[in-house]
Amino acid sequence: MPSDFDKDAYPEPPRQTPVVDKKTALPNPALILSKLFYYSVDLPVTTFREVVESIQAKNKSVYYHQKFRRVPDLTQCEYGDYLCYYEAEMQWRRDYKVDQEIVKVIQERLRACQQREGHSYKQNCSKEIEQFDEVSKNYTSRYGDLGAYASGRKCLMKQKERMMEAAQKQND
Amino acid sequence: MVGMSLLRSVAAIAARLTPVKSGNAATNLLVRTIPRTEKVAVRWGHGKKMFVIKPTEFYDKRFLRLLQFYILLTGIPVAIIVTSVNLFIGEAELVETPEGYEPEHWEYYKHPITRWITRNVFDSPVKDYEKMMAAIQIEKEKADMRLAQLEVRRHMRRRGDGPWFQIETLDKNLIDSSPKATPDN
């Protein structure tokens, strides 16, 4: 089951429910509906979940986050050292995946911010928007048009092109 | 079901005991022993009777029946297994790696079925990595050996001499080394 989101990353605004001040003797339909929903949907679902969790608590297992050692890069490999090439390529692929996940997290933050703020998101989420712009610009400049058969070599060549353009621009 | 047959037997007994008259509505439904020809209850009895001629559905129905059977033959056990695994053995929780502990390769996955598969069916990723590296090493050695062979061949052919390349000369038995009449033969 998916875990709850990180409450510090997506802070909720402070609640503004007013104090109940009943002026009529009529029953409150919102209260009736919410109680109906609670007893018909919320309570059965929660009890089922608790039952299932109590059964699962007996066979609880854990999993860990795998940390990989850093190996020499493609630029640090001797010419013709195919083993070094392979290890550098694998490391590059892992880094590619990590960068994709980073972009996804930033996107998720922006989406959450927009959902929270509603119509005034352009003004209130400026920090998230700026973060997202920077991250996506860096991602496209590094991995942009590499395509489906991307490899560490092609990425290195793209970097070389970028550096050549920067040097060209500096010379002009 | 048992109640129905009991009811029927009671109705049959009641029919035998009380003489049946035509208008006896209560026993109309349950009596089978005494057929009556005057007023027969006709159900669904309105509308013109049609003999519907349509193409056979036998083959289509048979196909769908067999399809359903063979899909459910493995589908139902798989569904039961997956549901019970998800209900009774939950997914794993993410924890920090304790100091000095090297987790087994299956302990990096969350779902219990994935863990089982990587534990019992697949090789560990480290082993796969090493297998790939071994293959690369073998291919590298083969390529190096081929290059070296070409190099050696080139050297031998240039020198004209070597185990792989000889320039054919005449057979020494053809040389006549008997003393000649003149010195410049």
Side-chain angles (χ1 to χ4, degrees), chain B residues 117-133:
Chain B
I117 292 173
T118 45
R119 194 171 67 228
N120 296 77
V121 178
F122 291 159
D123 284 328
S124 85
V126 176
K127 193 171 170 189
D128 279 339
Y129 197 82
E130 294 293 328
K131 280 191 313 208
M132 185 60 145
M133 301 258 272

Side-chain angles (χ1 to χ4, degrees), chain B residues 92-156:
Chain B
E93 277 174 5
L94 182 61
V95 296
E96 288 293 323
T97 320
E99 283 295 325
Y101 175 64
E102 177 74 31
E104 302 282 342
H105 65 273
W106 68 80
E107 285 175 0
Y108 290 117
Y109 298 97
K110 190 163 62 164
H111 196 265
I113 294 181
T114 320
R115 281 166 84 107
W116 185 85
I117 292 173
T118 45
R119 194 171 67 228
N120 296 77
V121 178
F122 291 159
D123 284 328
S124 85
V126 176
K127 193 171 170 189
D128 279 339
Y129 197 82
E130 294 293 328
K131 280 191 313 208
M132 185 60 145
M133 301 258 272
I136 291 173
Q137 173 77 3
I138 289 170
E139 290 299 312
K140 176 181 196 293
E141 279 170 6
K142 273 158 71 174
D144 286 343
M145 269 194 233
R146 284 179 191 136
L147 283 174
Q149 186 207 12
L150 286 175
E151 178 90 20
V152 167
R153 184 171 180 267
R154 197 160 42 85
H155 276 280
M156 286 190 188

